[in-house]
Amino acid sequence: MTNGGAPMSDLDAISSSAAHSALNAASFQWDGNRLEAGIGIAASGGGFRAMLFHVGAFIRLNELGLLARAKRISSVSGGSIASGWLACAWPKLTEGNFGNLREAFVEPILAFARMRIDVVDALTGALPWTSAAEELAASYDKHLFGGRTLQELPNAPQFVFCATNLQTGVLWRFAKAYAGDYIVGRLDKPTLPLALAVAASSAFPPVLSPLILKLPDGSFGDWPAPAGAPPSAPVPASFRQHVMLTDGGVYDNHGVEPLIKRFATVFVSDGGAPFARNAELDSDWISQLRRILDVTDNQVRALRRRDLIDRLEAGNRIGDEATLVTRNDHGRLGAYWGIDSDPGKLSPVAALPCDAATVHRPAHVGTRLSNLGDDVSKQLVNWGYAICDRSVRANYKGPVAESLAAWPFPEAALG
């Protein structure tokens, strides 16, 4: 390729393509891009800790009549494990009018949570003929997803599994209708394994990352340009020959980006690791680097969270989806809850008692894809359930079903 007679490098070409694509992104029309009425649910990253926390939130959202109304469920990392199995269970749930959530969804996920997969897959992945991410996908397939592909996902709601493209630095999405990002392009109706999508989403760096996606030439289509816009520069073939993906939490650990510009109502469950303040830190280079990365990550999450909460406060003050859509408003209806939320600040009528010290223990377990023990696992489910209930009923101004809260696991009550 040339640029004014001078050769154009791959870097120049991809930069030019990215600039055009950034301008065109607002008009992207694979599956709609305008603000519309409807519920989007996001499940964050955070390993098995987040996975179990989201299980509790899904239970309560179901009881409140919100889960079945979702139009899109977006997820990252540990949240993608939970939402991936929810997608698999969805046909049974619809057949049972969502009264069978425990047997169809909760019990299989709890059984999977007893697995110890991260260390084994990381060590096996060091062998020359495989990788940790490939081993992770194989573990998911063997123990949870059973060979299902993205084409076996339900048509509605749309499940979106988010990863990060290390080459382009943007969010990569896996869904039934498409996979890709706005720089590299799209794969229409991908037949990729569901386990691969979830593994890419949860490929925690550097131990379980990257997942290399290799596809035949001609697999990708270009990002569609809006009417009248100049065509984007061609994407260099090297960006499509192999795609290097890592954990979706690197780009957006809340998993909210596929929702926030699309749906008037959003519910966000955040099981990400709470940021720890610590007066006693080591000063060696490696310890400093780890801490700096933690601080940087925390700042990015805080900015996203601040914008989200600002939108929710504005939208819930209006309290009407139709008004938000008509105005194309900044605000959103819905609720946010985090694993480190203070239960004392949210006290709707008949909220389950939550002791802050009791909640602290499960909320601060490490980010692992490994068995946390039955007691902690059940506490995490209970905590996700309780704080979801508190946040939704204290903040959300839309309709919910009348349903008295009760611990999913009474033997692991939190107060």
Side-chain angles (χ1 to χ4, degrees):
M1 287 178 288
T2 62
N3 183 8
M8 180 182 283
S9 68
D10 275 4
L11 181 60
D12 292 332
I14 198 67
S15 296
S16 176
S17 179
H20 281 283
S21 295
L23 292 173
N24 296 344
S27 300
F28 182 55
Q29 295 293 320
W30 289 347
D31 62 341
N33 190 55
R34 300 174 184 84
L35 183 63
E36 63 180 68
I39 291 173
I41 299 172
S44 80
F48 278 9
R49 179 193 63 246
M51 176 185 76
L52 292 161
F53 181 76
H54 301 321
V55 168
F58 287 152
I59 295 171
R60 190 54 179 152
L61 289 173
N62 183 52
E63 292 174 351
L64 294 171
L66 299 169
L67 184 64
R69 291 165 48 199
K71 287 190 173 182
R72 178 179 291 177
I73 298 175
S74 170
S75 58
V76 176
S77 196
S80 288
I81 306 172
S83 67
W85 181 246
L86 182 65
C88 294
W90 201 265
K92 288 184 179 179
L93 295 175
T94 55
E95 288 174 8
N97 199 27
F98 288 83
N100 57 342
L101 190 79
R102 187 159 189 130
E103 53 268 34
F105 171 68
V106 178
E107 291 174 2
I109 274 284
L110 281 176
F112 178 74
R114 298 186 182 99
M115 302 297 301
R116 301 179 184 272
I117 61 177
D118 51 4
V119 172
V120 173
D121 288 345
L123 292 174
T124 306
L127 297 171
W129 58 83
T130 186
S131 71
E134 289 175 7
E135 293 300 312
L136 185 61
S139 292
Y140 288 157
D141 208 42
K142 177 181 179 181
H143 299 295
L144 195 60
F145 299 128
R148 292 176 176 87
T149 73
L150 292 173
Q151 291 311 299
E152 295 174 75
L153 297 176
N155 291 322
Q158 182 187 47
F159 286 85
V160 179
F161 306 96
C162 301
T164 303
N165 188 333
L166 286 172
Q167 294 153 303
T168 62
V170 302
L171 193 73
W172 177 282
R173 306 184 192 191
F174 291 97
K176 182 174 184 175
Y178 65 88
D181 70 39
Y182 69 83
I183 294 176
V184 171
R186 71 175 189 234
L187 302 165
D188 286 322
K189 298 182 179 179
T191 57
L192 299 168
L194 173 59
L196 182 144
V198 175
S201 182
S202 57
F204 191 79
V207 180
L208 298 174
S209 172
L211 188 142
I212 307 296
L213 192 61
K214 297 180 181 179
L215 297 161
D217 290 346
S219 296
F220 285 92
D222 291 335
W223 185 279
S232 298
V235 177
S238 57
F239 283 84
R240 292 178 168 181
Q241 289 169 351
H242 69 280
V243 181
M244 186 178 293
L245 302 175
T246 192
D247 193 298
V250 173
Y251 187 88
D252 171 17
N253 197 55
H254 293 99
V256 75
E257 184 162 305
L259 306 178
I260 200 67
K261 295 179 181 178
R262 175 75 183 275
F263 297 104
T265 299
V266 292
F267 296 100
V268 181
S269 182
D270 183 5
F275 182 74
R277 292 178 171 84
N278 188 353
E280 302 297 330
L281 296 173
D282 293 326
S283 59
D284 61 275
W285 290 5
I286 294 176
S287 297
Q288 284 188 70
L289 178 59
R290 289 181 60 187
R291 185 62 174 178
I292 288 166
L293 290 172
D294 285 344
V295 172
T296 303
D297 178 63
N298 181 64
Q299 176 67 359
V300 172
R301 293 189 198 185
L303 289 170
R304 285 189 179 272
R305 187 163 55 246
R306 196 174 304 151
D307 174 73
L308 172 65
I309 291 173
D310 177 64
R311 287 175 177 269
L312 291 172
E313 289 176 346
N316 286 323
R317 281 195 298 270
I318 294 172
D320 177 64
E321 272 195 338
T323 301
L324 295 175
V325 172
T326 301
R327 294 182 185 176
N328 195 26
D329 199 87
H330 169 83
R332 298 291 182 270
L333 291 174
Y336 163 90
W337 54 92
I339 202 165
D340 60 345
S341 294
D342 181 353
K345 293 182 178 180
L346 298 165
S347 300
V349 175
L352 293 170
C354 293
D355 176 70
T358 304
V359 165
H360 184 274
R361 179 189 172 214
H364 286 77
V365 297
T367 302
R368 296 282 309 277
L369 300 177
S370 188
N371 187 6
L372 302 175
D374 279 357
D375 290 344
V376 171
S377 294
K378 290 177 179 178
Q379 285 182 330
L380 281 165
V381 174
N382 279 350
W383 177 222
Y385 178 97
I387 195 62
C388 168
D389 171 69
R390 285 173 177 251
S391 184
V392 171
R393 292 199 296 118
N395 296 310
Y396 175 52
K397 302 308 178 186
V400 297
E402 292 291 333
S403 172
L404 212 60
W407 293 117
F409 296 101
E411 67 273 25
L414 301 173

